[in-house]
């Protein structure tokens, strides 16, 4: 192995990472406290180190060198020298081979071995000493890449935020059992790009596919010891590198990811990434030294001010990324821009996003990261969705993010679940959630789309399990069923788990339709979890983060008639949402009267068809009411035919039939029933007169559209015609 190199130049401190320019590769690595940095270059197998180069220049806390004749495909890592002073927050150890935080591709996998730790553990956790074992045989490396790619659809039309329907899925779990995907492509980006998969997603009527983490992540040692893996991937170690486990070719993950994005864009679908910038896979101060810890622990992580030996753990995973440091903030924003500009994605969902808004004094909506996103010409133009909570003090921030952000709304989730479960006193709260939770989001010019409504997510019960289990059943996780949420606001409809009882099965199917219809007819941005549209089950497991098996995978060939009927029902709901702007307004419904148009945007009705009184709102036993949305109240400029549709949604969580009187609206007298969750399939749209009563089945939802007597049903007939169209054509 060479100790020096005569083919080097000082290089540049920018851009950070490894950058090929056609003549060689520039390497640049930030470290504020290192005393020396060595670049280790390996042979094509990645096993044998063939050259070690001391980075000769240090500019603005960036170490850098240019290596001539080095090309894409070169495999490398770093060894960083500096003080090993845990009590001061410094954990440098040149015996540990480190990953470049800006690496665009990784090679190999981590093998858990004592040598990957920067310390030697003797008898007690506090009895630690500097470890001199070489970690190179056990850790992954980085690979220099060439970003050349021929996009077929480099320019795409972004989906308007108010038109979004998000579809959350997992790269591997979605296609690993898909019968139309070639076996070698299943579970990969190439599998997601298969025409049968793309067409199926598009036909469902969603607009934006949100992929669970695809950044390079690690499997926790405690999971591997139990024969499990980190299936979800919320354990990132490389913020620029797609995980090679999701690619067919050993070194093709970048091109395969881009091809997938290209195919989705060709079909009018957006690609969103679920990203984890709140922590890294290095864990607490007792975790391994793989990258950030060995490069500059005191800069990359938040440490306890009085005892910097220890990490602040606002994430619950052992460490918290320090976005108050300008170089760490730069790394995160550089990563986001890279995925937008180079990889073509359309937006991000941020795991534990409150962390990203934290400064030393706590969450601050004017914090460095949030301000950076608002002013950045690239990041401010894409979809930014926050999971607005973390484990730290003041961590719950639903509605607390600044303009431009959308947020997961767990208030919607819990209220909708408890309403359809039959809990008392939920009607007023449900009314608020149906109007995009204006109590939390209607401020500073934010729009209804800021509320990302969901009933289920990857974390928790699937929709089928939500109506089939009262309790979690996580025994397969190996934690004695102690993990996962204990209170899920679920109801098994009379039997725990699978049952042959036809009445319970019918009720469960209706409850699924109720929950999905509430989600897709409410104001705000709906999010559906892949598989919920046909009743996927996880056998009662509400924390399947470690289940890379049939518990988590979608069983395409196992979809039964009930599942196909449910998927058709979801398709009808998405068609309605796309075709009727009144269901996806860009202004909050407030119940205020518009004097100019002489209409009220939303009116809440009792089963008698008249406005609810304060006394009725205060009745904790009220379980049936109507939501009348007057489409004329949103008219502005040139009005399209469907823009002024007036809709009535009836929510009946009572266990028995309720007679509901259809209201009279001035100038109109005829209603068409578009949806009845008790009758999911109809050959024609039944019509009713104002003043007629409708027998609303117990635990069911209805959607009516108002139109003038004698008017054609062209608008509503077109809904049926659109069953073969994509959302962008409606």
């Amino acid at each position: 192995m060479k100790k020096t190199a005569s083919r080097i130049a000082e290089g540049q401190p920018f851009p950070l990472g490894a950058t090929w320019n056609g003549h060689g590769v520039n390497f640049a690595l930030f470290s504020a406290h290192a005393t020396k940095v060595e670049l280790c270059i390996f042979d094509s197998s990645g096993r044998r180190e063939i050259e070690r180069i001391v980075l000769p220049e240090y500019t603005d806390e960036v170490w850098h060198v240019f290596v001539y004749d080095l090309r894409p495909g070169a495999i490398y890592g770093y060894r960083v020298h500096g003080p090993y002073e845990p009590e001061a927050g410094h954990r440098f150890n040149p015996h540990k081979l480190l990953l470049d935080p800006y690496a665009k591709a990784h090679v190999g996998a981590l093998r858990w071995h004592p040598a990957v730790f920067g310390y030697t553990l003797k008898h007690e956790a506090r009895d630690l000493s500097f470890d001199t074992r070489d970690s190179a045989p056990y850790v992954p490396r980085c690979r220099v890449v060439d970003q050349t790619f021929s996009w077929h659809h480099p320019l795409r039309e972004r989906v308007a935020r108010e038109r979004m329907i998000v579809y959350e899925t997992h790269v591997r779990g979605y296609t690993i059992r898909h019968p139309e995907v070639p076996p070698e492509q299943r579970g990969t980006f190439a599998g997601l790009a298969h025409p049968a998969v793309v067409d199926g997603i598009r036909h469902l009527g969603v607009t934006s596919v949100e992929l669970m983490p695809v950044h390079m992540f690690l499997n926790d040692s405690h999971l591997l010891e139990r024969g499990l893996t980190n299936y979800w991937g919320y354990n990132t170690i490389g913020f620029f590198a797609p995980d090679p486990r999701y690619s067919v070719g050993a070194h093709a993950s970048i091109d395969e990811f881009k091809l997938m994005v290209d195919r989705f864009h060709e079909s009018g679908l957006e690609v969103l990434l679920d990203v984890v910038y709140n922590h890294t896979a290095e864990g607490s101060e007792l975790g391994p030294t793989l990258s950030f810890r060995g490069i500059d622990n005191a800069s990359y992580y938040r440490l306890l001010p009085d005892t910097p030996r220890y990490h602040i753990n606002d994430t619950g995973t052992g460490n918290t990324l320090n976005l108050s440091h300008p170089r760490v903030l730069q790394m995160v924003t550089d990563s986001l821009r890279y995925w937008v500009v180079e990889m073509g994605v359309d937006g991000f969902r941020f795991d534990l996003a409150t962390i990203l808004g934290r400064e030393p004094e706590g969450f601050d909506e004017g914090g460095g990261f949030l301000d950076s996103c608002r002013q950045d010409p690239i990041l401010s133009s894409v979809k930014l969705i926050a999971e607005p909570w973390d484990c730290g003090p003041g961590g719950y921030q639903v509605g607390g993010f600044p303009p431009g952000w959308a947020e997961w709304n767990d208030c919607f989730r819990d209220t909708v679940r408890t309403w359809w479960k039959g809990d008392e006193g939920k009607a007023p709260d449900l009314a608020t959630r149906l109007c995009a939770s204006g109590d939390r989001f209607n401020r500073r010019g934010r729009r209804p789309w800021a509320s990302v409504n969901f009933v289920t997510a990857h974390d928790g019960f699937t929709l089928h399990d939500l109506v089939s289990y009262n309790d979690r059943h996580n025994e397969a996780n190996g934690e004695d069923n102690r993990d996962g949420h204990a209170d899920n606001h679920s109801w098994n409809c009379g039997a725990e788990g699978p049952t042959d009882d036809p009445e319970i099965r019918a009720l469960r199917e209706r409850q699924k339709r109720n929950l999905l219809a509430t989600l897709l007819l409410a104001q705000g941005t709906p999010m559906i979890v892949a598989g919920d549209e046909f009743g996927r089950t996880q056998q009662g497991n509400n924390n399947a983060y470690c289940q890379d098996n049939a518990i988590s995978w979608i069983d395409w060939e196992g979809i039964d008639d009930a599942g196909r009927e449910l998927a058709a029902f979801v398709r009808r709901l998405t068609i309605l949402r796309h075709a009727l702007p009144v269901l996806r307004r860009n202004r909050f419904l407030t119940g205020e009267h518009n004097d100019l148009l002489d209409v009220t945007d939303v009116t809440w009705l009792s089963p008698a068809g008249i406005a609810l009184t304060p006394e009725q709102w205060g009745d904790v036993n009220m379980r049936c009411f109507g939501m009348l949305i007057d489409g004329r109240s949103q008219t502005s400029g040139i009005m399209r035919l469907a823009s002024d549709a007036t809709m009535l949604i009836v929510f009946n969580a009572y266990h028995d039939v309720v007679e509901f009187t259809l209201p009279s609206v001035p100038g109109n007298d005829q209603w068409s029933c578009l949806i009845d969750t008790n009758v999911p399939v109809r050959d024609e749209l039944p019509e009713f007169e104002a003043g007629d009563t409708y027998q609303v089945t117990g635990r069911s939802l209805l959607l009516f559209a108002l139109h003038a007597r004698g008017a054609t049903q062209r608008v509503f007939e077109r809904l049926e015609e659109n069953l073969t169209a994509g959302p962008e054509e409606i």
Side-chain angles (χ1 to χ4, degrees):
M1 180 183 69
K2 297 180 181 178
K3 297 294 184 182
T4 60
S6 59
R7 56 191 181 93
I8 66 171
E10 64 180 33
Q12 299 293 328
F14 182 85
L16 292 166
T19 307
W20 181 59
N21 69 358
H23 303 286
V25 179
N26 190 82
F27 294 89
L29 180 74
F30 156 75
S31 180
H33 300 99
T35 57
K36 184 173 76 171
V37 175
E38 296 175 300
L39 171 67
C40 303
I41 300 176
F42 295 82
D43 65 8
S44 59
S45 71
R47 290 188 290 270
R48 185 171 64 90
E49 187 176 338
I50 57 176
E51 191 169 13
R52 187 173 297 188
I53 301 169
V54 176
L55 273 62
E57 295 295 329
Y58 186 54
T59 304
D60 296 333
E61 298 183 334
V62 176
W63 300 82
H64 52 96
V65 68
F66 185 86
V67 183
Y68 288 101
D69 299 327
L70 205 63
R71 300 182 58 79
I75 299 173
Y76 72 100
Y78 287 112
R79 296 181 185 271
V80 181
H81 300 250
Y84 183 77
E85 300 172 354
E87 66 281 359
H90 300 308
R91 296 179 178 273
F92 294 97
N93 188 332
H95 301 285
K96 312 304 169 184
L97 185 71
L98 305 176
L99 291 165
D100 180 356
Y102 276 72
K104 308 303 189 298
H106 289 194
V107 176
L110 172 67
R111 288 192 293 153
W112 287 97
H113 184 276
V116 305
F117 296 87
Y119 60 88
T120 300
L121 179 61
K122 294 184 178 179
H123 301 293
E124 298 179 4
R126 295 181 181 276
D127 189 9
L128 309 175
S129 61
F130 186 73
D131 187 82
T132 58
R133 287 169 291 190
D134 185 7
S135 70
Y138 311 103
V139 297
R141 286 92 160 96
C142 309
R143 181 167 57 85
V144 179
V145 302
D146 176 6
Q147 296 285 9
T148 303
F149 182 82
S150 297
W151 293 92
H152 289 91
H153 301 275
L155 300 176
R156 72 268 189 191
E157 206 173 306
R158 299 193 186 277
V159 175
R161 284 171 166 82
E162 65 271 16
R163 295 185 65 96
M164 287 178 65
I165 301 176
V166 180
Y167 190 64
E168 185 194 44
T169 192
H170 188 282
V171 172
R172 178 169 167 80
Y174 197 72
T175 63
I176 192 66
R177 302 179 71 176
H178 200 296
E180 296 186 63
V181 175
E184 68 276 8
Q185 293 182 2
R186 293 175 185 171
T188 69
F189 300 129
L192 268 183
H194 190 277
V197 175
V198 178
D199 289 347
I201 294 174
R202 177 178 176 273
H203 180 77
L204 185 62
V206 299
T207 66
S208 310
V209 180
E210 180 183 300
L211 301 179
M212 291 173 67
V214 301
H215 291 174
M216 180 68 186
F217 66 92
L218 299 181
N219 281 312
D220 313 76
S221 59
H222 67 91
L223 290 178
L224 294 175
E225 290 166 2
R226 301 204 304 266
L228 301 170
T229 62
N230 191 326
Y231 171 70
W232 285 354
Y234 292 91
N235 203 29
T236 305
I237 195 63
F239 296 116
F240 292 79
D243 198 296
R245 282 170 283 199
Y246 296 145
S247 63
V248 177
H251 303 309
S253 56
I254 293 176
D255 284 353
E256 288 182 22
F257 182 90
K258 289 180 176 179
L259 176 62
M260 176 197 70
V261 172
D262 209 33
R263 293 272 178 85
F264 275 62
H265 287 168
E266 181 182 10
S267 291
L269 295 167
E270 292 185 315
V271 177
L272 312 178
L273 297 187
D274 191 342
V275 289
V276 187
Y277 294 109
N278 56 77
H279 74 282
T280 79
E282 289 185 308
S284 72
E285 59 278 352
L286 295 176
T289 298
L290 305 172
S291 180
F292 313 94
R293 174 166 291 130
I295 293 170
D296 195 340
N297 183 70
S299 294
Y300 276 106
Y301 295 117
R302 293 193 187 277
L303 309 177
L304 289 175
D306 298 330
T307 51
R309 181 187 196 104
Y310 303 105
H311 288 256
I312 291 174
N313 186 20
D314 288 333
T315 64
T317 59
N319 66 55
T320 304
L321 212 58
N322 181 20
L323 269 75
S324 296
H325 192 289
R327 286 295 189 180
V328 182
L329 173 62
Q330 178 192 353
M331 178 190 70
V332 172
T333 52
D334 282 352
S335 168
L336 292 169
R337 281 188 292 267
Y338 171 79
W339 286 95
V340 174
V341 175
E342 187 60 46
M343 304 295 273
V345 306
D346 303 283
F348 307 92
R349 178 267 185 186
F350 294 84
D351 181 63
L352 300 183
T354 301
I355 290 289
L356 308 180
R358 282 192 180 275
E359 297 296 342
E361 66 278 2
F363 177 79
D364 179 3
E365 72 158 80
F369 174 75
L370 298 179
D371 280 351
S372 294
C373 291
R374 291 180 70 185
Q375 62 79 39
D376 189 284
I378 293 173
L379 300 184
S380 63
S381 69
V382 300
K383 312 294 170 49
L384 303 176
I385 302 173
E387 182 185 39
W389 49 77
D390 64 25
C391 300
Y396 187 76
Q397 291 293 332
V398 174
F401 277 69
W405 282 76
E407 304 174 38
W408 272 27
N409 186 355
D410 65 332
C411 300
F412 182 94
R413 175 197 65 196
D414 294 346
T415 298
V416 172
R417 287 185 178 192
T418 53
W419 167 263
W420 287 113
K421 185 161 71 76
D423 288 5
E424 293 183 344
K426 294 298 178 181
D429 197 23
L430 179 63
T432 301
R433 304 307 149 218
L434 294 170
C435 295
S437 298
D439 60 329
R440 292 186 176 272
F441 296 101
N442 191 6
R443 62 185 186 90
R444 302 180 65 188
R446 299 184 79 180
R447 299 292 188 172
W449 54 258
S451 174
V452 177
N453 302 329
F454 64 105
V455 176
T456 59
H458 66 272
D459 185 4
F461 279 140
T462 65
L463 181 70
H464 175 86
D465 292 354
L466 185 66
V467 300
S468 304
Y469 295 91
N470 285 346
D471 304 304
R472 63 191 175 189
H473 295 269
N474 299 349
E475 290 81 5
N477 295 354
E479 299 179 44
D480 297 323
N481 204 33
R482 295 190 304 268
D483 61 301
H485 297 293
D487 183 14
N488 298 278
H489 304 304
S490 61
W491 178 45
N492 64 19
C493 298
E496 188 74 356
T499 179
D500 293 326
D501 188 311
E503 291 187 5
I504 292 177
R505 290 166 66 96
L507 176 56
R508 287 177 177 176
E509 292 304 314
R510 191 162 70 250
Q511 286 285 72
K512 293 178 199 176
R513 292 190 290 269
N514 291 336
L515 291 160
L516 287 165
T518 305
L519 173 65
L520 285 162
L521 298 179
Q523 303 293 309
T525 301
M527 183 185 79
I528 304 170
V529 178
D532 276 358
E533 70 270 23
F534 44 75
R536 181 179 74 90
T537 180
Q538 290 181 168
Q539 304 166 30
N541 192 317
N542 74 350
N543 189 34
Y545 76 103
C546 55
Q547 299 297 328
D548 187 7
N549 50 48
I551 290 177
S552 297
W553 301 340
I554 291 180
D555 180 11
W556 294 98
E557 294 185 319
I559 300 173
D560 57 14
D561 289 342
R564 284 184 283 273
E565 289 177 3
L566 185 61
F569 179 76
V570 173
R571 167 68 173 166
R572 184 171 179 82
L573 289 169
T574 60
I575 290 292
L576 286 165
R577 187 175 181 90
H578 288 303
L580 300 171
V582 72
L583 297 175
R584 46 180 173 80
R585 285 169 49 95
N586 204 25
R587 288 182 173 83
F588 284 92
L589 296 172
T590 64
E592 296 179 0
H593 188 76
N594 185 317
D595 293 331
L596 179 63
L597 297 173
D598 192 27
V599 295
T600 301
D601 58 3
V602 62
T603 304
W604 305 98
L605 304 178
S606 72
I610 58 177
L612 283 165
T613 65
E615 291 75 21
Q616 288 172 314
W617 278 121
D619 182 0
V620 297
N621 293 312
M622 184 176 73
R623 290 185 172 85
C624 181
F625 67 90
M627 179 185 187
L628 179 65
I629 312 173
D630 196 320
R632 293 174 298 168
S633 63
Q634 70 163 348
T635 304
S636 62
I638 298 175
M639 185 173 62
R640 292 182 299 173
L641 184 59
S643 294
D644 63 344
T646 291
M647 315 300 294
L648 171 65
I649 313 175
V650 178
F651 304 87
N652 181 21
Y654 189 56
H655 69 273
D656 206 348
V657 172
V658 172
E659 287 193 356
F660 200 99
T661 300
L662 298 177
S664 177
V665 177
N668 300 274
D669 59 5
Q670 197 169 4
W671 293 94
S672 290
C673 183
L674 304 183
I675 295 289
D676 182 343
T677 58
N678 188 52
V679 189
V681 179
R682 275 180 164 152
D683 295 331
E684 59 183 22
L685 302 176
E687 295 187 355
F688 303 89
E689 301 287 337
D692 287 350
T693 58
Y694 193 103
Q695 301 290 313
V696 183
T697 306
R699 297 193 177 96
S700 64
L701 179 149
L702 297 155
L703 174 66
F704 294 90
L706 181 74
H707 57 90
R709 175 178 290 281
T712 70
Q713 290 197 167
R714 186 169 66 252
V715 172
F716 306 113
E717 289 169 354
R718 285 178 58 199
L719 301 181
E720 298 302 320
E721 295 170 5
N722 283 325
L723 286 174
T724 58
E728 75 285 355
E729 299 173 68
I730 300 170

